[in-house]
């Protein structure tokens, strides 16, 4: 893969491959068909996950312990050829093992008896419609009437095979396994209202279930943000065994930074025609976004500059003059905008006249790469299936009854342009949506849909209506911010993380950035030394395992590779090579394929040189592979090797942390991802927030209330105030801490993921999660700035005790970073506090049966005396 998979992507690929393996075995051994789905929210990187799965399917993946399927054939199916083209491009962009020739767009001229192994075939609904040349001559009713034989003259252009013939022949070939991947799998699976939709449904269900003598496809994989219809259709048909569905955690996607953190909704304060007002406001936002991205690129010395665009969403039967007036407003407000910077994606694909302007058509999948497009006019064609990460502003002329179309389009706009979060900058992590035809009551419905994260809209994150931008408080001294940026925030551990992979990735980046020349070679050398030490300490065990590798069914294999002498027949010679290879591959999965390879060379070079005698060196390589295979069978090797690799990675990170901190955000994000490649929580520094949007009002039951504002917060508006809705506990904590001697500033820790949010890892039901303490307070003590965590902690929820244990472990690990770490809860009408830096209380927390009991007994003190 050209991309490093996020942890949730790696988990999803691992689970999908397990299903594909089971499905393949069921088909080959029992002729049973199987199906499963992958559910991932918009922006999660479904195509990247598919690319990684296809690489493993065609070529195998030692890290994921997956063997290639030599007969694998994949059909990628959607209902839109432009979506297929975008997917094909993304697969090439993501994979370094799937070539252009491995991906075949099935055109009307396609004419083959069966599909070829190792290829992905792109099909769409139109290609299988009854009028398509690919299917002409294949009539299911006629097939059944004639026992499967068709008259040659019914097929056009001397076509020997229809596409249905090709599918049937592929399924019936014992050397091949046909996999069907349904993109946007919820479509064509029921609830159709038009003839066209019913036709799509029929085609998709024929592919899955079979029809007219053509059997159903053996392995079906549905991919979508919502797959309920797909799952229900599979169950209803009863033709496929349902394998465990793969569900990507939306919270992990949000944590990754691949999708934007905030959606800002602008609406008129009252009903009426406010098109011009909000179009001007949207244009201002486009200008601000353009300037902000240019400044960020300049600051980071980025060669790649994000060129944001605005989407004008119009009704299905728009008024061309109304669109023309909107364009006039945009160019009056933003005169620097080039005249030829507008395009549309209407269905008729022709140049359109809007007012006095001629606007060309552009294919939807080309918008992202076409930086000349700064204003895009669209109906609903772009609502699903494709996306444009640089679309940062949307003005919708849809009526108040069209909230579904608006939320669908927002779902296409939530991807982060640089595929990462911009540290501390909400302006660059947000998308703006302006709705001139809506009122606040209707917008509440939009917000409700957006927050659900269903097929109509994007997943988690904040949706703000009445908001204000807050920036660093000018009164906060440098020493406060310096301490803030040094506070340790914890990452969520990754399932199945490999320390050796983390070490080699770290070494590669250190060398690439010129921080440590030859870092990869040095890392491998250190691990070779560690393996040599293990070999010495476990010599007897390794020798016994070596003999086991060289023994097949009670016969010891002996071979003189140089003299070509054998003491066994040809069958055992083949078995010897296969057994050694199999044992070596198992060991390589423990050590990592790269380390295993270089360690074999390291061992071989101790006894032979390829320059002196190639045959001696070949024999030494074989002996070394047997040794490594034997080491892999020693149970102690895994924990020992992982510990050594982890120790080396930590040493490198600690040693070169100062140099890493001076790098650009893009490079720092790379190292941040490497740090996170661990099965234990890792600590990373906080990033100073440069811009954040905060809500100023709440709307409940149609009534609006304004939040109170507070002083001395690290972020504030132009008047030095920070809006925050605090409950009784939170208000008591802020007021109490603000009155303490030498208090300086406070920080309300964001509950959303981001580099400016302090996170603490905790474990619940054998799964790591992140809790974000509510407040950090800064004070002066003995001439130095010190920090306190004070977290009002609810004790009535099931996760109260696991969170408390996580905070206690964090306090134990990072005691030196804080003056106080306090958890506050209300018990019997009183606020009680646990001092989590106290070792006795830490022990009590770990032994406790309930959070409430800790606050009720002598472990806690009264918070307010």
């Amino acid at each position: 893969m050209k991309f490093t998979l996020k942890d949730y992507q790696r988990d999803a690929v691992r689970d999908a491959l397990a299903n594909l393996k089971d499905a393949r075995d069921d088909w080959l051994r029992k002729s049973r068909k199987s199906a499963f789905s992958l559910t991932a929210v918009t922006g999660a990187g479904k195509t990247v996950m598919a690319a990684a799965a296809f690489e493993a399917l065609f070529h195998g993946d030692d890290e994921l312990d997956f063997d290639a399927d030599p007969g694998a054939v994949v059909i990628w199916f959607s209902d839109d050829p432009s979506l297929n083209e975008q997917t094909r491009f993304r697969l090439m962009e993501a994979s370094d093992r799937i070539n252009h020739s491995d991906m075949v767009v099935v055109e009307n001229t396609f004419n083959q008896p069966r599909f070829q192994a190792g290829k992905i075939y792109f099909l769409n609904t139109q290609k299988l419609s009854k009028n398509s040349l690919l299917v002409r001559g294949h009539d299911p009713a006629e097939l059944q009437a004639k026992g499967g034989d068709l008259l040659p003259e019914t097929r056009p252009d001397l076509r020997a095979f229809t596409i249905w013939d090709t599918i049937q022949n592929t399924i019936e070939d014992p050397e091949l396994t046909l996999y069907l991947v349904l993109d946007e799998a919820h479509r064509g699976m029921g609830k159709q209202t038009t003839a066209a939709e019913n036709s799509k449904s029929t085609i998709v269900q024929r592919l899955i279930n079979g029809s007219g003598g053509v059997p159903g496809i053996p392995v079906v994989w549905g991919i979508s943000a919502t797959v309920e219809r797909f799952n229900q259709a599979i169950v209803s048909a009863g033709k496929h065994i349902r394998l465990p569905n793969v569900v990507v955690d939306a919270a992990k996607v949000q944590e990754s930074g691949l999708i934007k953190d905030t959606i800002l909704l602008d609406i008129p304060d009252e009903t009426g025609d406010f098109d011009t007002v909000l179009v001007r406001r949207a244009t201002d936002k486009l200008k601000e976004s353009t300037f902000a991205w240019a400044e960020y690129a300049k600051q980071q010395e980025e060669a790649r500059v994000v060129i944001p665009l605005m989407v004008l969403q119009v009704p299905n039967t728009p008024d061309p003059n109304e669109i023309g007036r909107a364009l006039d407003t945009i160019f009056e407000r933003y005169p620097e905008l080039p005249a030829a910077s507008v395009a549309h994606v209407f269905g008729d694909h022709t140049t359109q006249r809007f007012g006095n302007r001629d606007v060309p058509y552009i294919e939807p999948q080309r918008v992202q790469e076409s930086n000349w497009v700064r204003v895009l006019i669209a109906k609903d064609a772009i609502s699903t299936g494709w996306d444009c990460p640089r679309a940062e502003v949307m003005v919708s002329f849809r009526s108040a009854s069209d909230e579904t179309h608006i939320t669908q389009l927002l779902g296409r706009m939530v991807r982060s342009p640089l595929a990462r979060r911009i540290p501390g900058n909400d302006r660059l992590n947000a998308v703006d949506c302006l709705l001139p035809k809506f009122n606040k009551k209707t917008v509440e419905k939009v917000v409700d849909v957006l927050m659900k994260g269903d097929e109509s809209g994007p997943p988690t994150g904040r949706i703000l209506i009445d908001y204000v931008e807050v920036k660093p408080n000018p009164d906060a001294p440098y020493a406060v911010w310096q301490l803030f940026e040094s506070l340790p925030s914890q990452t969520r551990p990754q399932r199945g993380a490999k320390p050796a992979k983390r070490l080699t990735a770290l070494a590669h980046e250190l060398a690439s950035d010129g921080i440590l020349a030859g870092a990869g070679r040095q890392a491998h050398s250190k691990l070779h030394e560690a393996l040599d030490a293990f070999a010495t300490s476990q010599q007897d065990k390794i020798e016994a395992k070596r003999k086991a590798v060289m023994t097949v069914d009670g016969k010891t294999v002996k071979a003189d590779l140089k003299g070509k002498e054998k003491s066994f027949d040809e069958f055992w010679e083949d078995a010897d090579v296969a057994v050694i290879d199999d044992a070596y591959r198992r060991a390589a999965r423990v050590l990592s394929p790269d380390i295993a390879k270089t360690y074999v060379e390291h061992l071989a070079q101790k006894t032979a040189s390829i320059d002196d005698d190639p045959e001696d060196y070949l024999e030494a390589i074989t002996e070394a592979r047997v040794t490594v295979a034997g080491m892999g069978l020693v149970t102690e090797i895994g924990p020992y090797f992982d510990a050594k690799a982890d120790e080396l990675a930590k040493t490198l990170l600690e040693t070169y942390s100062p140099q890493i901190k001076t790098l650009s955000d893009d490079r720092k994000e790379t190292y941040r991802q490497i740090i996170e490649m661990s099965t234990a929580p890792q600590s990373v520094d906080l990033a100073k927030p440069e811009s954040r949007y905060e809500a100023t009002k709440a709307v409940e039951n149609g009534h609006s209330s304004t939040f109170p504002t507070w002083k001395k917060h690290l972020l504030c508006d132009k008047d030095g105030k920070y809006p925050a809705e605090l409950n009784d506990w939170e208000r008591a904590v802020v007021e109490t801490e603000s009155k303490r001697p030498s208090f300086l500033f406070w920080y309300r820790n964001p509950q959303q993921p981001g580099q400016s949010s302090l996170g603490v890892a905790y474990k619940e039901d054998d799964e790591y999660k992140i809790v974000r303490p509510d407040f950090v307070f800064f004070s002066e003590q003995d001439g130095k700035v010190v920090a306190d965590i004070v977290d009002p902690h609810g004790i009535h929820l099931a996760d109260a005790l696991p969170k408390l244990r996580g905070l206690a472990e964090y306090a134990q690990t990072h005691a030196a970073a804080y003056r106080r770490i306090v958890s506050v809860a209300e018990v019997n009408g009183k606020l009680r506090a646990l001092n989590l830096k106290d070792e006795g209380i830490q022990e009590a927390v770990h032994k406790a049966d309930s959070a409430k009991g800790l606050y009720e007994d002598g472990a806690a003190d009264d918070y307010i005396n």
Side-chain angles (χ1 to χ4, degrees):
M1 288 291 290
K2 296 175 185 175
F3 301 146
T4 300
L5 296 181
K6 306 289 186 183
D7 64 323
Y8 71 82
Q9 293 174 331
R10 175 65 65 180
D11 289 347
V13 171
R14 182 184 291 108
D15 293 342
L17 288 175
N19 280 346
L20 293 176
K21 181 179 184 299
D22 289 345
R24 177 181 67 199
D25 291 345
D26 273 347
W27 174 246
L28 294 180
R29 296 177 183 177
K30 303 174 184 177
S31 296
R32 297 195 306 191
K33 304 181 183 73
S34 305
F36 70 98
S37 62
L38 168 66
T39 310
V41 297
T42 300
K46 292 187 282 289
T47 310
V48 171
M49 291 183 259
F54 295 155
E55 279 194 355
L57 190 63
F58 294 148
H59 303 286
D61 191 312
D62 286 338
E63 288 183 8
L64 295 175
D65 195 15
F66 186 86
D67 294 325
D69 178 359
V73 178
V74 173
I75 293 177
W76 184 282
F77 188 88
S78 81
D79 64 358
D80 188 338
S82 66
L83 295 186
N84 277 354
E85 189 60 22
Q86 180 171 272
T87 299
R88 191 173 69 88
F89 174 77
R90 282 190 183 156
L91 290 174
M92 285 191 293
E93 189 179 41
S95 173
D96 53 6
R97 303 179 76 186
I98 301 174
N99 301 317
H100 180 273
S101 59
D102 297 329
M103 292 183 280
V104 181
V105 178
V106 178
E107 303 290 2
N108 286 327
T109 54
F110 186 87
N111 186 17
Q112 291 183 9
R114 59 184 53 78
F115 294 125
Q116 294 180 38
K119 293 188 182 295
I120 304 169
Y121 292 87
F122 291 88
L123 266 173
N124 58 74
T125 309
Q126 295 86 339
K127 295 288 175 58
L128 295 181
S129 66
K130 63 182 180 180
N131 296 322
S132 169
L133 291 176
L134 285 173
V135 304
R136 197 173 300 169
H138 184 97
D139 186 331
E142 188 179 356
L143 264 177
Q144 290 176 332
K146 296 179 179 293
D149 295 324
L150 282 175
L151 297 176
E153 59 267 27
T154 63
R155 299 183 176 182
D157 304 324
L158 301 178
R159 182 183 298 277
F161 305 97
T162 70
I163 192 66
W164 290 109
D165 295 331
T166 305
I167 291 172
Q168 180 172 352
N169 292 339
T170 304
I171 293 172
E172 293 176 349
D173 190 325
E175 301 297 319
L176 301 175
T177 307
L178 185 58
Y179 301 83
L180 172 66
V181 182
L182 289 175
D183 190 15
E184 302 291 340
H186 62 283
R187 303 164 98 179
M189 302 305 297
K191 295 190 178 180
Q192 287 72 34
T193 58
T194 68
E197 288 172 330
N198 281 320
S199 175
K200 290 178 186 177
S201 174
T202 303
I203 290 169
V204 172
Q205 293 182 15
R206 279 180 65 188
L207 275 172
I208 296 174
N209 301 320
S211 176
V214 179
I217 292 181
V219 185
V220 181
W221 176 8
I223 301 178
S224 176
T226 52
V227 290
E228 285 79 6
R229 293 183 194 172
F230 169 81
N231 292 335
Q232 290 169 5
I234 294 295
V235 172
S236 299
K239 300 292 182 67
H240 291 71
I241 297 169
R242 278 195 60 195
L243 298 174
N245 292 330
V246 180
V247 181
V248 174
D249 185 346
K252 291 184 179 180
V253 181
Q254 193 74 49
E255 282 180 17
S256 73
L258 286 180
I259 56 178
K260 293 170 182 173
D261 294 326
T262 307
I263 296 175
L264 304 173
L265 297 180
D266 276 77
I267 53 176
D269 288 330
E270 53 190 277
T271 57
D273 191 355
F274 294 94
D275 296 12
T276 303
V277 173
L278 288 191
V279 169
R280 280 203 301 265
R281 182 169 169 79
T283 306
D284 290 343
K285 287 178 176 288
L286 180 64
K287 288 174 66 175
E288 291 168 9
S289 180
T290 303
F291 177 77
W293 278 114
E295 283 296 300
Y296 181 75
K298 183 178 178 181
Q299 170 202 335
Q300 296 291 315
E301 298 182 353
E302 285 244 12
R304 177 184 170 193
V305 182
V306 175
I307 309 295
L309 67 78
M310 174 197 299
V311 176
L312 287 180
Q313 188 186 36
V314 300
N316 287 341
T317 54
D319 180 349
N321 292 322
E322 184 180 14
I323 298 174
R325 286 193 296 272
L327 293 175
D328 289 342
T329 301
I330 291 169
F331 283 99
E332 287 170 10
R333 196 75 172 185
Y334 196 172
E336 299 87 354
L337 209 59
S341 59
V342 185
H344 75 85
V345 285
F346 288 2
D348 50 15
H349 299 190
T350 59
T351 297
Q352 300 284 310
R353 183 79 174 176
F354 301 124
N356 61 352
R357 300 174 189 275
D358 290 324
V359 176
Y361 167 79
I362 186 171
E363 294 174 320
Q365 68 270 20
R366 289 184 49 233
V367 174
Q368 172 64 18
E369 66 191 44
S370 303
N371 283 335
W372 62 269
V373 180
R374 303 299 310 282
V375 180
L376 182 69
I377 304 168
K379 297 179 183 178
D380 58 5
I382 62 172
S383 295
T384 56
W386 73 282
D387 55 79
C388 183
R390 66 186 186 91
E392 302 240 315
V393 183
M394 177 178 78
V395 181
S396 179
F397 292 112
R398 289 276 183 176
S399 67
S401 61
D402 281 345
E403 61 263 21
T404 298
H405 291 292
I406 290 163
T407 52
Q408 285 177 339
L409 178 53
L410 279 171
R412 316 317 310 169
M413 296 173 63
V414 294
R415 289 182 187 265
S416 301
L418 296 179
R420 60 177 172 84
R421 179 179 287 107
I422 307 303
N425 195 323
D426 239 16
R427 170 65 272 169
L428 300 183
N429 295 322
V431 58
D432 288 280
C433 176
L434 297 94
L435 307 172
K437 305 289 187 183
F438 275 55
N439 56 39
K440 289 199 174 184
K441 188 172 182 180
T442 311
V443 167
E444 287 179 45
K445 296 180 184 178
V446 175
V447 172
D448 287 343
V449 174
L450 288 173
M451 293 303 288
K452 291 176 186 174
D454 64 7
E455 67 182 282
S456 301
T460 56
R462 299 187 305 158
I463 295 97
L464 304 179
I465 301 175
D466 295 293
Y467 55 89
V468 65
E469 185 177 15
V470 290
K471 295 186 175 184
N473 194 322
D475 295 332
Y478 171 75
V480 170
W481 284 116
Q482 187 179 35
L483 177 58
F484 176 92
E485 292 181 84
S486 72
L487 296 179
S489 180
Q490 290 186 321
T491 64
R492 186 202 302 260
Q494 297 183 4
R495 177 166 68 109
K498 298 284 189 181
K501 183 178 179 182
R502 180 186 186 215
L503 173 63
T504 51
L506 174 60
H508 173 77
E509 301 303 336
L510 289 172
S512 297
D513 288 320
I515 294 174
L516 178 61
R521 185 177 63 255
Q522 293 182 40
H524 278 238
S525 178
K526 290 287 186 183
L527 289 176
H528 295 166
E529 290 176 11
L531 289 172
D532 283 346
F534 180 83
T536 301
S537 66
Q538 304 289 330
Q539 185 174 356
D540 293 342
K541 287 184 179 179
I542 293 173
E543 186 57 34
K545 297 298 183 183
R546 270 180 55 89
K547 291 178 180 178
V549 170
M550 296 298 288
T551 301
V552 182
D553 284 356
K555 294 185 179 181
T556 301
V557 177
K558 297 179 181 177
D560 180 352
L561 295 179
K562 190 174 181 179
K564 309 297 183 186
E565 295 178 1
K566 307 185 282 287
S567 61
F568 49 87
D569 59 26
E570 294 299 323
F571 172 81
W572 292 118
E573 179 182 15
D574 293 339
D576 173 35
V577 173
V579 168
I580 292 174
D581 285 347
D582 185 58
Y584 172 77
R585 284 185 62 194
R586 288 201 301 270
R589 287 169 176 170
V590 175
L591 304 179
S592 89
D594 286 344
I595 300 297
K597 178 177 180 295
T598 59
Y599 188 58
V600 163
E601 294 167 355
H602 164 77
L603 292 176
Q605 288 166 4
K606 290 182 178 181
T607 58
S609 168
I610 192 170
D611 294 329
D612 295 338
D613 191 328
E615 290 190 352
D616 279 350
Y617 184 72
L618 178 61
E619 188 168 355
I621 287 287
T622 302
E623 286 294 316
R625 284 170 63 87
V626 174
T627 298
V628 171
M631 291 178 73
L633 295 174
V634 177
T635 56
E636 294 88 350
I637 185 63
Y640 170 86
F641 182 74
D642 286 349
K644 289 295 182 182
D646 191 51
E647 179 185 328
L648 285 169
K650 287 179 178 177
T651 300
L652 287 175
L653 285 168
E654 289 172 5
T655 303
Y656 297 103
S657 177
Q659 291 94 319
I660 293 172
K661 287 181 180 179
T662 65
L663 299 174
S664 68
D665 287 347
D666 182 48
R667 297 303 302 144
K668 283 191 285 191
E669 177 63 19
T670 300
Y671 287 97
R672 185 185 180 92
Q673 291 181 24
I674 291 172
I675 291 171
E676 291 176 353
M677 292 166 60
S678 173
T679 54
Q682 301 295 302
S683 295
V684 293
D685 293 341
L686 288 177
K688 180 181 178 180
E690 299 294 345
S691 166
R692 182 167 173 82
Y693 292 103
E694 293 290 3
T696 61
K697 295 179 182 178
V699 179
E700 189 173 354
N701 298 324
H703 298 290
S704 177
S705 59
T706 302
F707 293 161
T709 56
W710 306 80
K711 295 183 178 180
K712 291 289 185 176
H713 191 274
L714 280 182
L715 298 173
C716 65
D717 62 16
K718 61 184 187 313
D719 298 321
K721 297 179 179 179
Y722 177 80
E725 183 183 28
L726 305 180
N727 62 31
D728 292 342
W729 297 7
E730 293 167 339
R731 182 186 292 269
V733 165
V734 171
E735 290 175 348
T736 299
E737 297 298 325
S738 300
K739 292 174 184 175
R740 294 190 188 277
S742 66
F743 163 77
L744 295 173
F745 288 90
W746 66 290
Y747 183 69
R748 191 181 195 192
N749 192 38
Q751 295 305 296
Q752 297 76 33
Q755 289 93 321
S756 300
S757 176
L758 192 153
V760 174
Y762 71 97
K763 203 170 188 179
E764 182 183 19
D765 299 329
D766 291 326
E767 181 182 358
Y768 273 104
K769 301 178 181 179
I770 298 292
V771 60
R772 301 183 186 279
D774 282 338
F775 301 112
V776 182
F777 295 91
F778 296 87
S779 302
E780 187 175 356
Q781 179 175 293
D782 300 329
K784 291 178 60 179
V785 177
V786 294
D788 301 325
I789 286 179
V790 183
D791 183 38
H793 189 88
I795 56 175
H796 59 288
L797 299 175
D799 62 0
L801 188 58
K803 286 180 177 177
L804 204 53
R805 285 176 176 156
L807 287 167
E809 289 177 11
Y810 177 84
Q812 189 174 7
T813 305
H814 298 293
Y818 299 93
R819 180 180 63 175
R820 298 158 58 230
I821 299 179
V822 178
S823 182
V824 177
E826 185 180 42
V827 178
N828 301 323
K830 258 190 170 183
L831 288 181
R832 303 273 287 169
L834 288 172
N835 174 15
L836 295 177
K837 284 189 65 175
D838 184 282
E839 293 181 2
I841 291 178
Q842 292 170 1
E843 186 177 354
V845 168
H846 289 296
K847 292 180 178 179
D849 295 323
S850 73
K852 185 178 180 183
L854 286 164
Y855 289 97
E856 288 178 330
D857 65 22
D861 298 316
D862 288 340
Y863 177 63
I864 302 175
N865 296 317

